[in-house]
Amino acid sequence: MTVTTSETQERARTARKLGDGPRRAGLLDTAALCFGELGYDAVTVETITTRADVSRATFYAYFSSKDEVFRAVAEMMCRRFLDAQHMEGPAAEDLREVLRTTTSAFITAVYTYGDLLAVIEHRARVDSEVERSWSAVREKLVSRYVRFVERIRQVHDVDPCVSPPVLVQMISDAQMAGGARLSKASVEEQKQFIADMTTMSERLIGFEESK
């Protein structure tokens, strides 16, 4: 259901959306948990408001419908995955350490949001807005990684086993699929997968085996 609002109410909602305050962030986190646990179809506005312990009026002050809050959740996930791939500070100059750190952060994000990712990918097939945002972030993640591999090749004079775009797509697919599969696995299995993916990525990119 979408609640019809006046122009003034809609402007106020837009202002709150752009402000991205703690109340809106809390609603998004709760909605993300609901969608990840129950799936898109089973979640209602009431499901979200009950778990967030807020009124329906509060919900509609920020979102006009379940569709809108789901799209906002998908956008939030996109930002979190992009953040997981980013690293700043002095350590960012050590490209091998950047590879290890961002690989771990990215796969850990997949573990954390595995169920929700499946819902987003399923919803993207029927919601063009979700499909556009999710496709855009996947493309950006891959293009960033390709540029990173090119930088490694220049700085360390390594020889990736295949072209960077092909290599990055293979590694990204493996991280997403493997991370989703192990989202409910033991901590030991999850850590081992990260270690294995890191080693595999290093070797495929062309780094020598660690001593």
Side-chain angles (χ1 to χ4, degrees):
M1 181 180 75
T2 300
V3 171
T4 302
T5 59
S6 69
E7 184 177 342
T8 299
Q9 289 171 317
E10 189 58 37
R11 283 201 299 268
R13 179 188 290 147
T14 300
R16 284 187 287 268
K17 180 190 302 185
L18 295 175
D20 203 22
R23 178 60 63 85
R24 183 175 186 273
L27 281 169
L28 281 177
D29 285 337
T30 299
L33 290 172
C34 291
F35 287 123
E37 179 184 336
L38 303 174
Y40 179 83
D41 291 334
V43 174
T44 64
V45 170
E46 185 176 4
T47 307
I48 299 169
T49 57
T50 298
R51 291 203 181 185
D53 194 24
V54 300
S55 67
R56 291 173 67 89
T58 296
F59 176 91
Y60 287 118
Y62 292 91
F63 306 102
S64 64
S65 64
K66 182 177 84 168
D67 280 348
E68 185 178 357
V69 74
F70 184 83
R71 290 166 187 157
V73 165
E75 290 174 3
M76 178 178 71
M77 289 299 99
C78 290
R79 290 196 301 272
R80 289 181 180 178
F81 275 94
L82 289 170
D83 288 344
Q85 199 188 47
H86 185 64
M87 184 173 171
E88 295 182 344
E93 298 305 313
D94 183 339
L95 300 186
R96 192 164 191 167
E97 184 58 32
V98 172
L99 176 64
R100 291 171 174 173
T101 300
T102 55
T103 295
S104 178
F106 186 85
I107 296 174
T108 298
V110 178
Y111 291 156
T112 303
Y113 305 114
D115 290 338
L116 181 57
L117 285 178
V119 177
I120 291 173
E121 292 188 340
H122 183 269
R123 189 66 188 165
R125 300 181 192 132
V126 296
D127 188 319
S128 60
E129 287 190 35
V130 174
E131 193 280 330
R132 278 194 298 272
S133 61
W134 189 237
S135 294
V137 77
R138 293 292 294 269
E139 290 172 8
K140 190 168 185 177
L141 287 167
V142 168
S143 64
R144 271 186 179 181
Y145 204 161
V146 170
R147 291 195 300 272
F148 178 59
V149 172
E150 292 285 7
R151 185 181 172 200
I152 291 174
R153 185 161 66 173
Q154 293 172 4
V155 172
H156 291 276
D157 193 29
V158 297
D159 185 22
C161 61
V162 293
S163 69
V166 172
L167 176 62
V168 165
Q169 192 64 66
M170 291 171 59
I171 292 174
S172 298
D173 288 347
Q175 289 178 351
M176 291 288 284
R181 177 175 56 82
L182 294 171
S183 63
K184 299 292 191 300
S186 68
V187 173
E188 289 74 19
E189 288 178 288
Q190 292 180 342
K191 287 182 177 179
Q192 187 60 53
F193 179 71
I194 290 174
D196 292 341
M197 281 300 308
T198 300
T199 299
M200 184 187 79
S201 299
E202 289 179 348
R203 299 300 296 277
L204 292 176
I205 288 171
F207 280 118
E208 293 183 358
E209 186 175 359
S210 298
K211 296 180 181 180

